[in-house]
Amino acid sequence: MVTQPRLVVAAAASGQGKTTVSVGLMGALRAHGHAVAPAKCGPDYIDPGYHELATGRPSRNLDPWLTSPELIAPLFLRGCLHPTPADVAVIEGVMGLFDGRLGADGFASTAHVAALTDSPVLLVVDISSAARTVGALVRGLATHDPAVRVAGVVLNKAGSDRHAAEVRRAVEQQGYPVLGVLPRDAGISAPSRHLGLVPASERHDAQASLDRLAEQTARHIDIDAVFEIACTAPQLDAEPWAPTVVNRPARRVAVAGGRAFTFHYAETAEMLAAAGCEPVRFDPATDRELPSGTAGLYLGGGFPEAHLGALATNTRLLTQVRDAVSSGLPTVAECAGLLYLCESLDGRPMAGVLPARAAMQPRLTLGYRDATLTVDSLLGPAGTTVRGHEFHRTRTDPGHGTAAAWHFPSGPEGFALDPARTGRATVHASYLHTHWAGAPQLAAAFADAVHEFVPVADAPPVRDTWSVDPRPVDPRPVADAREQPAVSDAHHGDDDIRDRPDLVDLAVNVRLPAPPAWLARELADGIAGLGAYPDATAARDAIARRHGVDPSMVLPTAGGAEAFTLIARAIEGRTPLIVEPQFTEPAQALAATGRTADRLVLRAEHGFVLDPAAVDPAADLVFVGNPTNPTGVLHPRTTLHALRRRGRVLVIDEAFADAVPGETESCISPDPEQLQSMLVVRSLTKTWGVAGLRAGYVIGDPQLVELMRRQQPHWSVSSPALTVMLATTSDRALRESAQATRDVASAREHLVGALERRGLRPVPGVAPFVLVEVGEGVREALRHSGFAVRRCDTFAGLSDRWIRVAVRDPHTIDTFLRALDDALAITRSAAAAEPEEVPA
């Protein structure tokens, strides 16, 4: 008999907030000094990643169908006692409380797991669309099955205090205590994509987000009451699960990890270690080689499609994997691993072990499977039966090999290969995820295969190549920039990826590939109002409040591009001047009005620092960026104010000012005197991932703003763009933006430090991009390796020796740096091989 405080977090349906509450409770309980053991009902891989981040220990998947009902309590206790005893356990449910395997009367449901672990249930209810009806809903869920004990309720997405009070009364009148209420806009959610939440390991801000979530949870939920409910759980009559130990010298198994391979059951590595193997994690996106002494390869699940550029450009490792697997290296590949071993994924080259190509599909494949081995393989003899689970939105062509990995009731699936002709399949690759605790014979057979493997002594050496493009590669650097076709001021970062959408995009300075989920919902909710003409009044007023200025000083625009066009049309300026290098749009806008601007070109040897005395006193319309694009240099506000003089209009492009912590040095001021004869241009598209909407605004001298307003076409700013302006001025948005700014600053520091360690001299700055001189041919070599960076020969004062690199998450940065190392080595080697010119 084991005493273990525990509870199950359940809900009436998916999307009610189980993960938010579960992870928040785990973090809050840990912050209160408790050691927390996490667990998850069902085959889910993503939520356990957040569990582990919140608790500091691995989460256990409790699935009676994948393993067995008899194993649930032992597996649960393993998590509670390993690696150290826990004070309390939190089990996150799956779907609705009674939703399990279809056609099996709730088998493997949250209720089933709660009964098997004899755990009290904390019910999470989304009350956003109901009030007193919630009381009846809770009573129905609580009385449906006598084996399930609902011990408390958390109300989620309350619209107001009054709304929450009404629902609380209705629930408590049914006899169930309400332990907390989360407001509708608590700002505590995780981003999602095509297969659910974005894994925690892919979010460089995940830990900070979970810390905020724990704080918010403790603020709104009675954590002490939650712990007291967990302590009401009776003793559990079960023995903790432990893997079978085989005493023999350990042999190394390389286990794919990193951001592209995040799906693993905790028991897999434990069973391998007990069977005489040494699991060693490696990252296929960043590591150049397999771990030394590898005698087995386990490629689990994940999101390779989300990190395709990094995987496809790591050609040294792809080549080594192909050679090793072809030599008979025992290899198990599940889902993401299957894709990694294919010839290609979405057109990008992969390892080429399997005679198949894979691609994303619109339809999700999801469900439990009964499976049978079709041939003798490293996982056991033909006829071995197991249970598994599929969860993917890709498809291979063909769907199976001549020898399939498994046979489902619906037909064959996957690939079983014997590339070294050993007499049995040494490669087992399929979409099926299996839980080895429920099928220990698979782990035992794989471990035996690892110990029987004899490496090929004369295996071909790893080919250290920088590209797997089948086209011949000329290693010499490209021609001098003077011989390149001219690139006009109209060039933008998106032009660097327009013809190659497969490239890893470090050219475009948009922080997010899409707006966050809450902003996307705001946009979706606004579709119903598209029949009406847009009215910018509310957005203008919201922007004014956000910056503390009078509404007459604000003009919403269709992005920064429209702002510059309106300035060029509205402000006379006979001798315009642009401080360069700078965003190319002001020059284009002036050219459209028949004016050519003078250019004050700041120089690298001076750090691209602006000296006000260098600006021509006759210039009456001056454009300057702050922080400047592409240098990232942040000019002091005093320097910019020193540019002001009678008869001159000063335009400050602050498109990236919201990426500066605290927005220091911004020229926006509530004092109209501070903005006299000045216009500040802002953009929302970079921070919020809405470049396709064109959303920005101008703040400045009311008289100048009015001149611009008269030039602006009616309804040029769309209703969706106005929705973005309103939504991103909310307290929630400003908090999220401030956190994102801190995260980007940290990632920028990581990138700058790495460039400096390579002997490069990135320009000191604060923007979400880095300007650095790398030499001729490097940008083209990076492009050939799968990375797009912004070309800089389109900026005055720069050449193609310079690149601008958008700051991304540290994982993407590290992958880029590996490609940069290769590109630098190749171009420097080629330059050294060029014969010196000898005067005649």
Side-chain angles (χ1 to χ4, degrees):
M1 302 289 285
V2 180
T3 299
Q4 176 62 61
R6 59 194 182 275
L7 60 83
V8 171
V9 179
S14 296
Q16 299 271 305
K18 288 190 304 295
T19 300
T20 297
V21 173
S22 298
V23 176
L25 287 177
M26 292 172 189
L29 286 165
R30 187 185 187 189
H32 276 56
H34 299 296
V36 183
K40 171 69 180 181
C41 297
D44 188 283
Y45 295 96
I46 301 176
D47 294 345
Y50 287 92
H51 297 178
E52 182 168 355
L53 200 59
T55 64
R57 54 198 291 157
S59 184
R60 303 284 163 164
N61 288 83
L62 306 177
D63 191 316
W65 196 85
L66 281 183
T67 58
S68 71
E70 294 74 24
L71 269 179
I72 295 304
L75 289 172
F76 167 69
L77 289 176
R78 169 75 173 187
C80 293
L81 299 174
H82 186 80
T84 58
D87 301 319
V88 62
V90 178
I91 305 171
E92 181 186 345
V94 60
M95 300 178 66
L97 178 56
F98 299 103
D99 299 325
R101 185 167 183 258
L102 294 178
D105 297 328
F107 192 92
S109 66
T110 302
H112 191 193
V113 172
L116 291 170
T117 59
D118 205 359
S119 303
V121 172
L122 180 65
L123 198 61
V124 179
V125 184
D126 180 345
I127 65 171
S128 59
S129 301
R132 287 194 58 80
T133 303
V134 174
L137 173 65
V138 171
R139 181 175 180 81
L141 290 169
T143 59
H144 181 73
D145 184 350
V148 175
R149 178 169 67 91
V150 174
V153 179
V154 170
L155 307 179
N156 192 25
K157 298 184 181 179
S160 65
D161 291 342
R162 185 180 178 189
H163 176 212
E166 180 76 4
V167 179
R168 179 189 288 270
R169 281 196 304 274
V171 172
E172 292 181 341
Q173 285 171 0
Q174 298 297 328
Y176 305 100
V178 175
L179 305 187
V181 180
L182 298 177
R184 182 176 297 167
D185 189 16
I188 47 176
S189 61
S192 61
R193 62 167 172 235
H194 58 275
L195 294 182
L197 297 180
V198 175
S201 60
E202 294 189 45
R203 299 182 58 199
H204 63 275
D205 65 336
Q207 186 62 65
S209 297
L210 290 184
D211 290 343
R212 294 196 301 273
L213 173 55
E215 293 172 4
Q216 288 275 19
T217 301
R219 183 180 306 167
H220 295 291
I221 298 177
D222 188 340
I223 301 301
D224 291 335
V226 170
F227 185 73
E228 289 175 6
I229 286 177
C231 289
T232 66
Q235 288 186 318
L236 198 53
D237 186 11
E239 291 294 324
W241 173 88
T244 301
V245 176
V246 179
N247 291 316
R248 54 186 171 186
R251 299 205 70 187
R252 183 162 286 185
V253 173
V255 179
R259 298 186 175 212
F261 291 86
T262 56
F263 295 7
H264 301 95
Y265 292 124
E267 293 79 8
T268 299
E270 294 170 358
M271 296 178 76
L272 286 176
C277 297
E278 179 193 0
V280 179
R281 288 289 179 96
F282 75 103
D283 187 344
T286 60
D287 288 335
R288 305 298 300 276
E289 297 178 351
L290 290 170
S292 61
T294 291
L297 180 61
Y298 182 89
L299 302 167
F303 287 109
E305 63 273 19
H307 304 280
L308 188 52
L311 295 172
T313 58
N314 193 0
T315 55
R316 179 184 178 116
L317 180 62
L318 285 169
T319 301
Q320 187 189 33
V321 167
R322 180 170 63 248
D323 292 345
V325 175
S326 297
S327 74
L329 180 73
T331 301
V332 173
E334 294 187 343
C335 203
L338 164 75
L339 303 178
Y340 186 72
L341 295 182
C342 282
E343 294 174 357
S344 64
L345 172 57
D346 279 344
R348 298 299 300 275
M350 292 286 102
V353 172
L354 306 177
R357 299 181 178 185
M360 289 290 291
Q361 302 294 319
R363 184 176 178 181
L364 174 66
T365 299
L366 172 67
Y368 289 122
R369 303 286 185 265
D370 289 294
T372 303
L373 288 178
T374 63
V375 295
D376 292 343
S377 80
L378 75 167
L379 289 182
T384 300
T385 60
V386 300
R387 287 176 167 180
H389 183 263
E390 282 192 289
F391 183 50
H392 57 92
R393 204 185 284 275
T394 58
R395 187 172 61 200
T396 65
D397 182 19
H400 59 86
T402 304
W406 300 106
H407 192 279
F408 298 160
S410 58
E413 197 271 344
F415 300 81
L417 305 181
D418 181 15
R421 299 183 180 179
T422 65
R424 69 172 179 181
T426 57
V427 180
H428 188 277
S430 78
Y431 276 117
L432 192 70
H433 294 285
T434 54
H435 196 309
W436 284 4
Q441 69 274 23
L442 302 185
F446 178 63
D448 288 344
V450 169
H451 280 269
E452 294 166 5
F453 173 63
V454 178
V456 178
D458 298 323
V462 174
R463 295 185 292 274
D464 191 2
T465 178
W466 65 292
S467 175
V468 293
D469 193 312
R471 295 169 295 181
V473 178
D474 185 348
R476 295 174 299 174
V478 297
D480 186 280
R482 293 185 298 272
E483 301 175 25
Q484 297 289 323
V487 181
S488 73
D489 279 337
H491 185 86
H492 295 288
D494 58 330
D495 292 320
D496 291 302
I497 61 168
R498 193 180 306 280
D499 63 331
R500 288 285 305 277
D502 58 308
L503 298 177
V504 178
D505 178 15
L506 303 180
V508 177
N509 287 312
V510 177
R511 179 175 69 93
L512 300 172
W518 62 267
L519 182 54
R521 288 193 297 270
E522 294 265 6
L523 289 167
D525 291 345
I527 290 176
L530 289 183
Y533 286 100
D535 182 350
T537 304
R540 180 202 64 188
D541 293 347
I543 294 168
R545 288 192 299 272
R546 180 252 198 269
H547 291 286
V549 301
D550 189 271
S552 65
M553 300 166 68
V554 179
L555 179 66
T557 64
E562 188 195 29
F564 290 119
T565 297
L566 296 177
I567 291 169
R569 292 176 179 174
I571 311 301
E572 187 170 312
R574 297 181 179 179
T575 54
L577 179 144
I578 301 174
V579 178
E580 300 276 5
Q582 162 68 322
F583 180 45
T584 56
E585 199 66 37
Q588 295 178 62
L590 289 168
T593 64
R595 289 179 285 179
T596 300
D598 292 334
R599 305 192 183 206
L600 171 61
V601 181
L602 307 182
R603 297 298 178 183
E605 55 265 29
H606 301 137
F608 298 102
V609 173
L610 172 63
D611 178 3
V615 177
D616 186 349
D620 55 1
L621 178 58
V622 175
F623 294 83
V624 59
N626 204 41
T628 301
N629 175 13
T631 66
V633 170
L634 184 66
H635 304 297
R637 186 186 300 109
T638 53
T639 296
L640 298 176
H641 276 279
L643 297 177
R644 301 170 66 189
R645 62 175 57 229
R646 183 183 298 277
R648 172 183 291 170
V649 173
L650 178 62
V651 180
I652 312 295
D653 178 7
E654 292 190 359
F656 295 98
D658 60 355
V660 178
E663 298 191 8
T664 57
E665 311 305 337
S666 171
C667 285
I668 295 177
S669 170
D671 182 0
E673 290 294 322
Q674 295 294 311
L675 283 169
Q676 187 174 6
S677 298
M678 187 184 296
L679 295 168
V680 178
V681 180
R682 284 288 188 108
S683 171
L684 295 171
T685 59
K686 277 76 172 176
T687 293
W688 297 109
V690 289
L693 275 188
R694 313 309 305 136
Y697 53 91
V698 175
I699 293 179
D701 186 322
Q703 293 183 348
L704 298 177
V705 169
E706 180 57 30
L707 291 175
M708 293 177 63
R709 194 188 319 276
R710 293 174 186 174
Q711 291 290 332
Q712 189 175 37
H714 288 303
W715 314 298
S716 69
V717 183
S718 69
S719 294
L722 296 173
T723 295
V724 169
M725 295 177 192
L726 279 168
T728 56
T729 59
S730 69
D731 289 342
R732 169 187 181 159
L734 295 178
R735 288 194 303 270
E736 183 173 321
S737 176
Q739 181 59 46
T741 296
R742 291 189 289 270
D743 293 338
V744 169
S746 175
R748 189 185 202 278
E749 184 178 354
H750 174 66
L751 173 58
V752 168
L755 293 172
E756 290 175 340
R757 287 191 294 274
R758 285 160 171 78
L760 301 173
R761 296 168 56 188
V763 176
V766 295
F769 49 82
V770 174
L771 180 69
V772 61
E773 186 176 14
V774 292
E776 295 177 356
V778 173
R779 180 179 66 83
E780 291 80 2
L782 285 168
R783 185 175 179 85
H784 204 73
S785 291
F787 290 84
V789 294
R790 175 63 157 90
R791 67 185 304 164
C792 290
D793 53 341
T794 65
F795 293 107
L798 299 179
S799 69
D800 204 32
R801 294 179 58 85
W802 294 80
I803 60 173
R804 190 193 69 190
V805 185
V807 175
R808 301 290 191 239
D809 62 272
H811 175 79
T812 302
I813 290 172
D814 290 342
T815 306
F816 159 74
L817 290 168
R818 188 192 68 239
L820 177 63
D821 288 339
D822 289 342
L824 289 171
I826 288 171
T827 54
R828 289 169 179 171
S829 174
E834 286 288 331
E836 294 184 6
E837 293 186 6
V838 180

